[in-house]
Amino acid sequence: MKDVLVIGAGGVSSVAVHKMAKNPGLFGKVTLASRRRFKCDAIAKSVQERFGVEIATAEVDADDVDATALLIDQVKPKLVVNLALPYQDLNLMEACLKTGVDYLDTANYEPRDEAKFEYGWQWAYQDRFKEAGLMALLGSGFDPGVTSVFATYIKKHLLDTIATLDILDCNGGDHGQHFATNFNPEINIREVTAPARHWENGDWVETPALSERQVFIFDQVGAKNMYLMYHEELESLVKHIPEIKRARFWMTFGEQYLTHLRVLQNVGMTSIEPVMYEGREIIPLQFLKAVLPEPSTLGETTKGKTNIGDIATGTKDGAEKTVYVYNVCDHEDAYAETGNQAVSYTTGVPAMIGAALMLNGQWRGTGVFNMEEFDPDPFMDMLNAHGLPWQVKELPEPLKF
Amino acid sequence: MKDVLVIGAGGVSSVAVHKMAKNPGLFGKVTLASRRRFKCDAIAKSVQERFGVEIATAEVDADDVDATALLIDQVKPKLVVNLALPYQDLNLMEACLKTGVDYLDTANYEPRDEAKFEYGWQWAYQDRFKEAGLMALLGSGFDPGVTSVFATYIKKHLLDTIATLDILDCNGGDHGQHFATNFNPEINIREVTAPARHWENGDWVETPALSERQVFIFDQVGAKNMYLMYHEELESLVKHIPEIKRARFWMTFGEQYLTHLRVLQNVGMTSIEPVMYEGREIIPLQFLKAVLPEPSTLGETTKGKTNIGDIATGTKDGAEKTVYVYNVCDHEDAYAETGNQAVSYTTGVPAMIGAALMLNGQWRGTGVFNMEEFDPDPFMDMLNAHGLPWQVKELPEPLKF
């Protein structure tokens, strides 16, 4: 039994559902549900047109545990694939426990009223999932997700020990807009404006947001400014690969993006503190989201490529060695295949792969798991087979910064 | 009978009311009314503390003609001084006609849903004010207002004919904020983002907003970038002084202000087109106003000076001559006197002077008037006496741009 219930109807969900429909051997019946059913229906129509496959749709408010549990009981899936907002992770885990169904997501839980990125909330479900004989797989997107699988692949095949790990996330795409975010603007801006944090010698080092910049030349994209940030996979990676002495995450941003972001911060439009407006509380960041372009509308015009990967330095057979594992994804190719650009594609495909591995039993266990706790090889093979081929390079020396 | 009813309780109103209270010989009873009475009460308290003078307060919605007329009937002033929003000009003129009371404002009417600056709407009241035996004085602020009086002063005393007129508005103040507007952000941003327009050889020439820049060295401020803009006094000046061949208006803006403005425009936050947000229409520019600092809170920290004036080139006794009439106003001095910075001060004082001249009969007539239709001399004398002293300089040559 390989039926899945997918929750959420944004770009990532659209990619995952298209990919599930494209691989009927891996999945049974697919049901897609979200708060706004017309968005599910639009995805179902595209899936039907592209691949001739029917998927079911439903309406559900993922903030409502009972309503979600009711839907799960009706649909009776083997697995709930959570591609809704990170605010809803805990509610959906509750609904899965209530109904005895496995769980997968692509981003860790965040409380709405605080931009705090920690696995603690979800790790706390460990015993309850174990006792229920259920499995929860956390963070099966690209970053987190593939970047963790790359790390375990490096550890298994390329290095004996990892001393330093740098995750480099480059979006070399151009959407032709003055300012837009590549995924949910609210989630994106919360992440970008949070202080940077990296792991060094057993401790977290915090630095101001966007204060540390390096230039890196990305394959098939070129030289880009990238900025030190915090990203959730750092927390689980240093837990599960404790030999890592330094772990950092970098993301590229253009000058125009940063100028716009700085101004929006300066005037208070990125704040998550409510403002009184005509007698009602409005969160500026949420209103900003309403005026910015819908990320899903950017697909058609976005050109260029993403390049995301891991650079690790460690030892192999006693000698220092630096390796680089990365994927390059083309925005226009991704759009041609599923109607979504590469930022959604690179997250939606790994969600589909994680779900397939859970359903076929290759990745199996009871409790709450991060990606690096499983054998990377089947996941790496599926990346190559399903549109996200990766490359390995040996670098002549460690990163100089 | 010199009683006045002042409508509106922002910075300009605060200055005007303080100045009225400071000059009990010029005014009778002062009543201050606005939609939010607590703001009127705060101004009344400050007036009491500074000058020991009682003023009355009331609550009124200036959008409601009948309610305003009822208040006018109760207060029975000789003159309504409109220091509310420009959207409300026509309603307040209606209320004055209904109750038989004179009218004064400082900025021309604008419709809420379109950033269109034209005197036509208010000039259309000409016959009705004439027939009622009432007087309406339009634009008795600094610009419009004093800049028109400077022009008629130049015409009366300094030049025989005016060929070119440039109005230069420089705010050399620093409020210490990333971004803030010196008066109502909504009105300010509508004005700044509108296309530039100037008068040349009998026609209006339109150019894109903020596209033409010149550097000018302002007395007591220094060199500043100033940008060609449209400003409403141009329309009435070329009507009443038809010999003018070219009339332009310039305003200074810093790089930081313009970067912030450009970004806010790019993302759609300066738009006056409503956006649907949680089932309700919200105008982005009005929400932006809610997150930006209240202009009235900037007074305490603003340092520096404003310098606003007219440069006219024409002939005197057959020879070409260029003259410059301007006022310099210090933000900290203005704040010390009335609790408001210079941008409010330079608008509120001329409102008080215009009101005083109407009440004592020195500026008198029936119908709708612009400032340049009256003798400039008593107004110019009062500027010197009430905190806005002016200077005349002869320039060695016309402006080179």
Side-chain angles (χ1 to χ4, degrees):
Chain A
M1 212 280 269
K2 293 180 173 180
D3 291 355
V4 290
L5 170 62
V6 179
I7 311 265
V12 172
S13 168
S14 175
V15 170
V17 168
H18 277 87
K19 285 293 205 177
M20 288 171 179
K22 204 178 173 180
N23 292 281
L26 301 175
F27 296 91
K29 184 180 161 207
V30 177
T31 303
L32 175 59
S34 85
R35 201 161 50 86
R36 289 179 291 178
R37 188 166 181 171
F38 72 93
K39 295 186 76 178
C40 302
D41 290 338
I43 293 171
K45 184 161 172 273
S46 168
V47 167
Q48 170 68 44
E49 285 167 4
R50 287 172 195 265
F51 308 122
V53 174
E54 287 282 350
I55 64 160
T57 64
E59 183 170 317
V60 72
D61 177 357
D63 285 327
D64 182 338
V65 175
D66 290 334
T68 309
L70 198 69
L71 178 68
I72 298 173
D73 275 337
Q74 282 167 0
V75 173
K76 299 194 200 319
K78 177 78 184 75
L79 171 68
V80 167
V81 176
N82 168 17
L83 304 176
L85 295 178
Y87 311 137
Q88 294 157 337
D89 289 2
L90 302 187
N91 285 342
L92 288 171
M93 291 175 84
E94 289 290 346
C96 284
L97 284 168
K98 221 169 165 160
T99 52
V101 172
D102 289 340
Y103 171 90
L104 174 151
D105 67 30
T106 64
N108 72 358
Y109 171 72
E110 293 171 42
R112 267 184 213 271
D113 57 357
E114 199 185 352
K116 201 169 172 180
F117 308 93
E118 286 184 13
Y119 272 118
W121 284 291
Q122 292 183 272
W123 285 342
Y125 281 74
Q126 184 64 266
D127 292 344
R128 292 174 65 196
F129 270 80
K130 250 194 179 65
E131 282 156 23
L134 294 175
M135 172 173 174
L137 180 61
L138 305 184
S140 187
F142 206 105
D143 43 338
V146 176
T147 52
S148 301
V149 175
F150 284 172
T152 48
Y153 179 86
I154 290 168
K155 173 88 176 137
K156 182 173 179 184
H157 298 288
L158 307 177
L159 299 177
D160 299 326
T161 61
I162 299 177
T164 67
L165 179 71
D166 287 274
I167 299 171
L168 281 63
D169 180 334
C170 167
N171 180 4
D174 180 3
H175 47 55
Q177 300 278 328
H178 287 299
F179 182 74
T181 58
N182 294 302
F183 57 99
N184 186 315
E186 185 184 339
I187 305 299
N188 181 226
I189 291 175
R190 282 164 74 107
E191 182 178 278
V192 175
T193 56
R197 205 158 20 130
H198 72 276
W199 183 257
E200 197 155 352
N201 298 319
D203 237 328
W204 293 107
V205 180
E206 191 169 298
T207 45
L210 304 171
S211 61
E212 178 146 1
R213 181 181 69 177
Q214 294 292 342
V215 176
F216 190 84
I217 301 169
F218 290 90
D219 184 26
Q220 298 179 56
V221 173
K224 291 279 173 190
N225 282 326
M226 62 182 193
Y227 294 80
L228 194 66
M229 282 180 56
Y230 180 68
H231 221 243
E232 60 215 72
E233 62 263 52
L234 297 178
E235 185 183 10
S236 68
L237 279 165
V238 301
K239 179 184 172 192
H240 294 116
I241 311 178
E243 74 209 36
I244 295 177
K245 287 198 179 61
R246 192 192 65 202
R248 301 181 296 189
F249 182 94
W250 304 86
M251 194 177 271
T252 62
F253 299 106
E255 271 314 300
Q256 175 152 326
Y257 178 92
L258 294 176
T259 298
H260 279 66
L261 189 66
R262 193 175 59 242
V263 164
L264 293 168
Q265 269 191 290
N266 283 347
V267 303
M269 282 305 302
T270 62
S271 171
I272 57 177
E273 288 293 318
V275 162
M276 281 309 290
Y277 181 75
E278 291 183 355
R280 200 175 60 162
E281 287 197 339
I282 290 185
I283 293 171
L285 180 54
Q286 288 180 5
F287 183 74
L288 177 61
K289 182 185 163 196
V291 302
L292 289 178
E294 266 277 333
S296 63
T297 64
L298 303 174
E300 212 168 339
T301 57
T302 304
K303 296 182 193 321
K305 292 172 181 182
T306 62
N307 177 330
I308 316 174
D310 292 17
I311 295 178
T313 298
T315 51
K316 179 69 178 173
D317 303 326
E320 188 187 77
K321 188 175 171 184
T322 299
V323 294
Y324 186 15
V325 184
Y326 63 91
N327 161 262
V328 174
C329 184
D330 185 276
H331 284 289
E332 291 173 279
D333 292 350
Y335 187 76
E337 185 185 338
T338 69
N340 299 277
Q341 34 84 327
V343 175
S344 299
Y345 192 89
T346 53
T347 308
V349 172
M352 179 278 287
I353 295 174
L357 293 175
M358 283 177 75
L359 291 170
N360 74 13
Q362 284 185 278
W363 278 20
R364 205 58 240 168
T366 56
V368 173
F369 296 89
N370 292 99
M371 305 290 286
E372 56 272 26
E373 297 182 67
F374 294 103
D375 179 9
D377 293 347
F379 202 105
M380 294 293 274
D381 290 343
M382 284 187 75
L383 285 174
N384 279 328
H386 293 279
L388 293 177
W390 44 272
Q391 313 184 36
V392 175
K393 278 197 182 149
E394 185 172 342
L395 300 187
E397 55 184 356
L399 289 175
K400 283 191 172 150
F401 45 83
Chain B
M1 209 281 269
K2 295 182 173 178
D3 291 356
V4 290
L5 170 61
V6 178
I7 311 265
V12 172
S13 168
S14 174
V15 171
V17 168
H18 277 87
K19 286 293 204 175
M20 288 171 179
K22 205 177 173 181
N23 292 280
L26 301 176
F27 296 90
K29 185 179 159 205
V30 176
T31 304
L32 175 60
S34 85
R35 200 161 51 85
R36 289 179 291 179
R37 188 165 183 170
F38 71 92
K39 294 185 77 178
C40 301
D41 291 337
I43 292 171
K45 183 160 173 275
S46 167
V47 166
Q48 170 68 44
E49 284 168 5
R50 285 171 198 265
F51 308 121
V53 174
E54 287 282 349
I55 64 161
T57 64
E59 183 169 317
V60 73
D61 177 357
D63 285 328
D64 184 337
V65 175
D66 290 334
T68 309
L70 198 70
L71 177 67
I72 297 174
D73 275 338
Q74 284 167 1
V75 173
K76 298 193 200 318
K78 176 77 185 74
L79 170 68
V80 168
V81 175
N82 168 17
L83 304 175
L85 295 178
Y87 312 137
Q88 294 158 337
D89 289 3
L90 303 188
N91 285 341
L92 288 170
M93 290 175 85
E94 289 291 346
C96 284
L97 283 168
K98 223 171 163 158
T99 51
V101 171
D102 289 339
Y103 171 89
L104 174 150
D105 68 28
T106 64
N108 71 359
Y109 171 71
E110 293 172 43
R112 266 183 212 270
D113 56 357
E114 200 186 350
K116 200 169 173 181
F117 307 94
E118 286 183 12
Y119 271 117
W121 284 292
Q122 293 183 273
W123 285 342
Y125 281 73
Q126 183 66 265
D127 292 344
R128 292 174 67 197
F129 271 78
K130 250 195 180 64
E131 282 156 23
L134 294 175
M135 171 173 175
L137 180 61
L138 306 184
S140 188
F142 206 104
D143 44 338
V146 176
T147 52
S148 302
V149 175
F150 283 172
T152 48
Y153 180 86
I154 290 169
K155 174 87 175 134
K156 182 173 179 183
H157 298 289
L158 306 177
L159 298 177
D160 297 326
T161 62
I162 299 178
T164 67
L165 180 71
D166 287 273
I167 299 171
L168 281 62
D169 179 335
C170 167
N171 180 4
D174 180 3
H175 47 55
Q177 300 279 325
H178 288 298
F179 181 74
T181 58
N182 294 302
F183 57 99
N184 186 315
E186 187 184 340
I187 305 300
N188 181 226
I189 290 175
R190 281 165 75 107
E191 181 178 278
V192 175
T193 57
R197 204 155 23 125
H198 73 276
W199 182 256
E200 198 154 351
N201 298 318
D203 237 328
W204 294 108
V205 180
E206 191 169 298
T207 44
L210 304 172
S211 61
E212 178 148 0
R213 182 182 67 177
Q214 294 292 342
V215 175
F216 189 84
I217 301 169
F218 290 90
D219 183 26
Q220 298 180 54
V221 172
K224 290 279 173 189
N225 282 326
M226 62 181 194
Y227 295 80
L228 194 66
M229 282 181 57
Y230 180 67
H231 222 244
E232 60 215 70
E233 62 262 52
L234 297 179
E235 186 183 9
S236 68
L237 279 165
V238 302
K239 180 184 174 195
H240 293 116
I241 311 178
E243 73 209 36
I244 295 178
K245 287 198 180 59
R246 192 191 68 204
R248 300 182 297 190
F249 183 94
W250 304 86
M251 194 177 272
T252 62
F253 299 106
E255 271 315 300
Q256 175 151 325
Y257 178 92
L258 293 176
T259 298
H260 279 67
L261 190 65
R262 192 174 61 240
V263 164
L264 293 169
Q265 270 191 289
N266 284 346
V267 303
M269 282 305 300
T270 62
S271 170
I272 57 176
E273 288 293 318
V275 162
M276 281 308 291
Y277 181 76
E278 291 182 356
R280 198 175 61 160
E281 287 196 339
I282 291 185
I283 293 173
L285 180 53
Q286 287 180 5
F287 182 74
L288 177 61
K289 182 186 164 196
V291 301
L292 290 178
E294 267 275 333
S296 62
T297 63
L298 303 174
E300 212 168 341
T301 57
T302 303
K303 295 184 195 315
K305 292 172 183 181
T306 63
N307 177 330
I308 316 175
D310 292 17
I311 295 178
T313 297
T315 52
K316 179 68 177 174
D317 303 327
E320 189 187 79
K321 188 174 170 184
T322 298
V323 295
Y324 186 16
V325 184
Y326 63 91
N327 160 263
V328 174
C329 184
D330 186 275
H331 284 288
E332 291 172 280
D333 291 350
Y335 187 76
E337 186 185 338
T338 69
N340 299 276
Q341 35 82 328
V343 175
S344 299
Y345 191 88
T346 52
T347 308
V349 171
M352 179 278 286
I353 295 174
L357 293 176
M358 283 177 76
L359 292 170
N360 73 15
Q362 285 185 276
W363 279 19
R364 203 59 239 167
T366 57
V368 174
F369 296 89
N370 292 101
M371 304 292 285
E372 55 272 27
E373 297 182 67
F374 294 103
D375 179 10
D377 293 348
F379 202 106
M380 294 292 275
D381 289 344
M382 284 186 75
L383 286 172
N384 279 329
H386 293 280
L388 294 176
W390 43 273
Q391 314 187 34
V392 175
K393 278 199 182 147
E394 185 172 344
L395 300 188
E397 55 185 355
L399 289 174
K400 283 192 173 150
F401 46 83

